[in-house]
Amino acid sequence: MKFYYLILALFSSLPSLHAADGALDLDTCDPLERKQRLSSIQTPSQITDALFQITKDVVDVFNEFNIPHTACYGTLLDIGRHTVVQEGRRVAGIKKHDDDIDLAIDLIYSSKVKETSPVFSALGYDLKYDATLSRWIVESKDQMSVAFGDGQEISYRGFIDIFVFKEEAEHYMLAEAPARKKKVLERGWFTKEEFLDRSAYKFGPLYLSGPKDPKPYLLRKYGAHCLEQAYYSSSHAATSHAQPYLWTLTEEERTPALPTHPLTERFQEFKETLLYEKIINGIYWNRFYGKNGAMKDPSSFAKLVYKTYMKKGKHLLELGSGNGRDAFYLAKKGLEVIGVDYSTKAVEQNTTQAKEIHKHRPLFHVLDVSDESQLNQLEKVDYIYARFFLHSLSDKQRAPLMHYLGTLHKGTELFFEFRTDKDPLLQRSTHLAHHSEYEGIADGHYRCFINMEGFTSQLTDLGYEILYAKEANNLSILDKGSYVDNPFLARIVARKR
């Protein structure tokens, strides 16, 4: 079996009359030969089905993450040229000899696309950036074996292109200068009105955004005859033909390729999983620490427990170390500190600060506390410290951590501070479907407010003696501008018996 994967953007249309020089004009062929030649270049339905599923997944993810997008290049040509009437409305689809989808985004959203990489990975795709063509590529991790009408058999990974544009004067141009010089991409720029004034178009079972009036774009990009004529030289999946084809489209040939079966709600199903919750939390905290990564004064809780309970030289593990404010403080006081966090951004910034300012102390690592296998790899410590962290975990996420705490050696001491179910922020939180009444979103991220009595009882069942327990407000007040956050907090110190 041969393997073909061409990362070259080839758009099946007539870019200009002179570009069609040497093409076989299928209008001059007899009807049988014309039909045979067009049949030989038709994309197998297996690829078409995969493209619609990828497009649905990308659109669902982009809509969830508020990433505006629009059809461009060949897909915009599909919207303008390859349509069929279904149930009284016009529906577009993929041209029968094409095998990719082209979308476009503004450069200002490119960083948000990058953030979605773990989501796409979980859905079975690789997300990568190609600066030479100014595009993101969402590509299936799985290969499929496909047979073409001409007998050619290939291995193929479905993918779509997301081209990145940026505003310059009254136009939107490809963001990467080298891409603008590519012949296949020339004249693909948008006017500001074309890029921003959009309509929703029915595209198979989906809706795609595109310019309200795509015709000026299409005529500029593909030439005066692009809505009547088609041009084919090769596709991404199939090998290049020795001679390109040019032909005038019949009504039948304008009929688009549409999916042969219903699409799967893959992203909506994924949103109900524990992994999705982890990814969303990771994205939020990476953004947060990217903006608020500077080291700050230690918390009042860190000062309290150090003064009252801790001893120099002891080994301490901080869960959810965040910007490192308490980890740096406790290390400076003489403890051997390791800080762990799910946010790669926080760990990177803290590690840099520790290297440049504090001679590699404390140490920081990325860790997922809801993964018991990762917890079991941790070294033995004397203290476990967590402030404003436990309430960021759902009950399911916290369960492996609680089991891990139960396995620790005699004398291990815990120092926890977290929001309780008496916290006024719970009432200001947006309730989540399929979650308990103690979970919600506020200030942009998830919290699970904890019942203190139930939590201390759980620690007791795990073999801990409660040395100190307090539940109160006025312990950590923060003015957030729109309101003053005065949380009801639990402060707990416990020792393994």
Side-chain angles (χ1 to χ4, degrees):
M1 180 183 294
K2 296 180 179 179
F3 175 74
Y4 297 103
Y5 179 60
L6 307 179
I7 281 291
L8 193 60
L10 300 172
F11 306 103
S12 303
S13 168
L14 180 62
S16 63
L17 289 176
H18 66 81
D21 290 348
L24 174 62
D25 186 350
L26 297 186
D27 294 346
T28 64
C29 299
D30 66 66
L32 180 59
E33 180 185 0
R34 175 191 175 110
K35 184 176 182 180
Q36 289 175 338
R37 288 184 179 274
L38 288 179
S39 176
S40 72
I41 65 172
Q42 183 167 324
T43 301
S45 60
Q46 190 177 353
I47 290 179
T48 300
D49 289 345
L51 281 175
F52 272 101
Q53 185 64 57
I54 296 172
T55 304
K56 174 174 174 53
D57 294 340
V58 169
V59 169
D60 285 348
V61 171
F62 279 14
N63 287 342
E64 180 71 20
F65 284 83
N66 298 312
I67 302 173
H69 50 282
T70 181
C72 66
Y73 293 118
T75 299
L76 194 53
L77 184 63
D78 292 339
I79 289 173
R81 194 175 72 183
H82 294 272
T83 61
V84 65
V85 176
Q86 293 183 344
E87 299 179 355
R89 69 172 302 162
R90 192 159 292 279
V91 178
I94 303 171
K95 61 182 77 66
K96 291 181 178 179
H97 53 276
D98 202 1
D99 59 3
D100 84 326
I101 299 292
D102 304 311
L103 302 179
I105 63 166
D106 192 322
L107 177 63
I108 63 176
Y109 296 104
S110 195
S111 61
K112 293 185 75 172
V113 173
K114 184 177 181 180
E115 288 178 339
T116 64
S117 180
V119 176
F120 282 118
S121 181
L123 291 173
Y125 303 112
D126 290 319
L127 176 69
K128 49 193 174 182
Y129 186 68
D130 174 16
T132 61
L133 292 178
S134 191
R135 64 175 177 170
W136 289 98
I137 304 167
V138 178
E139 179 188 18
S140 174
K141 295 179 181 180
D142 298 326
Q143 294 182 17
M144 55 183 175
S145 178
V146 180
F148 278 74
D150 60 1
Q152 179 188 175
E153 189 175 353
I154 66 166
S155 290
Y156 180 71
R157 291 190 183 100
F159 74 99
I160 73 172
D161 293 325
I162 302 147
F163 291 91
V164 181
F165 288 75
K166 70 175 180 179
E167 183 179 2
E168 291 188 5
E170 292 300 310
H171 297 85
Y172 275 84
M173 313 290 291
L174 287 168
E176 303 285 355
R180 302 179 191 180
K181 299 177 183 179
K182 301 289 184 181
K183 186 174 180 61
V184 73
L185 298 179
E186 64 183 358
R187 298 189 301 276
W189 49 265
F190 292 88
T191 66
K192 191 172 182 179
E193 182 179 10
E194 289 168 347
F195 197 77
L196 299 178
D197 193 10
R198 301 172 183 170
S199 292
Y201 296 93
K202 195 79 167 65
F203 193 76
L206 312 174
Y207 283 92
L208 289 185
S209 175
K212 274 192 174 180
D213 182 10
K215 188 173 181 179
Y217 173 94
L218 294 175
L219 297 181
R220 177 175 67 248
K221 172 67 182 105
Y222 295 114
H225 303 282
C226 69
L227 296 177
E228 295 81 34
Q229 287 184 324
Y231 176 77
Y232 178 90
S233 60
S234 66
S235 66
H236 301 83
T239 53
S240 297
H241 282 235
Q243 187 178 29
Y245 294 160
L246 171 68
W247 69 101
T248 302
L249 292 161
T250 65
E251 279 303 310
E252 181 183 354
E253 291 160 358
R254 289 176 180 273
T255 303
L258 297 170
T260 61
H261 55 75
L263 302 182
T264 304
E265 295 290 341
R266 300 176 71 242
F267 178 65
Q268 295 304 320
E269 293 171 3
F270 177 57
K271 283 179 65 177
E272 300 300 321
T273 66
L274 179 61
L275 177 57
Y276 182 73
E277 290 183 11
K278 292 181 185 179
I279 290 172
I280 293 301
N281 276 341
I283 289 173
Y284 173 84
W285 290 114
N286 279 337
R287 287 180 188 171
F288 180 87
Y289 292 119
K291 296 177 181 178
N292 306 280
M295 201 169 64
K296 299 178 180 179
D297 293 336
S299 67
S300 60
F301 182 61
K303 292 179 180 179
L304 170 68
V305 296
Y306 171 75
K307 180 180 180 180
T308 310
Y309 297 98
M310 293 180 177
K311 298 178 181 179
K312 293 181 180 181
K314 295 289 187 178
H315 289 76
L316 179 145
L317 172 68
E318 181 180 9
L319 306 176
S321 50
N323 63 11
R325 58 186 296 201
D326 288 348
F328 283 106
Y329 167 76
L330 295 171
K332 189 176 180 180
K333 291 295 186 180
L335 281 81
E336 297 296 327
V337 178
I338 295 176
V340 296
D341 202 286
Y342 191 64
S343 169
T344 56
K345 178 64 70 173
V347 170
E348 288 171 2
Q349 291 179 340
N350 289 339
T351 299
T352 297
Q353 290 184 26
K355 178 180 178 180
E356 295 177 349
I357 304 174
H358 300 282
K359 298 181 180 179
H360 301 281
R361 296 180 65 245
L363 299 175
F364 294 93
H365 302 290
V366 176
L367 184 110
D368 179 3
V369 300
S370 64
D371 185 336
E372 195 164 346
S373 64
Q374 293 186 39
L375 290 170
N376 290 336
Q377 294 176 17
L378 293 171
E379 296 181 2
K380 177 181 176 180
V381 295
D382 303 298
Y383 303 144
I384 293 184
Y385 176 94
R387 178 184 179 273
F388 272 59
F389 173 68
L390 295 180
H391 60 246
S392 71
L393 306 172
S394 67
D395 290 336
K396 287 183 179 179
Q397 290 173 316
R398 200 183 310 123
L401 173 61
M402 299 306 291
H403 180 266
Y404 167 74
L405 295 179
T407 67
L408 297 180
H409 64 89
K410 180 179 178 180
T412 302
E413 295 185 10
L414 311 178
F415 304 91
F416 293 155
E417 181 180 66
F418 52 83
R419 292 178 185 263
T420 75
D421 53 7
K422 296 179 182 178
D423 189 351
L425 189 60
L426 173 58
Q427 306 307 318
R428 292 196 292 269
S429 299
T430 302
H431 182 68
L432 299 168
H434 311 299
H435 288 70
S436 75
E437 60 183 307
Y438 301 110
E439 299 171 87
I441 300 287
D443 301 333
H445 72 95
Y446 167 90
R447 296 178 182 85
C448 180
F449 298 83
I450 301 172
N451 179 270
M452 178 177 169
E453 289 77 13
F455 187 82
T456 53
S457 176
Q458 191 175 5
L459 288 181
T460 300
D461 292 342
L462 291 173
Y464 284 87
E465 175 188 2
I466 306 302
L467 304 180
Y468 173 84
K470 180 177 182 178
E471 184 179 19
N473 58 1
N474 299 319
L475 298 175
S476 179
I477 303 173
L478 180 63
D479 187 349
K480 294 194 172 182
S482 59
Y483 71 95
V484 175
D485 185 19
N486 184 7
F488 239 87
L489 298 176
R491 287 182 168 180
I492 293 174
V493 180
R495 181 187 296 124
K496 188 71 182 294
R497 293 192 293 266

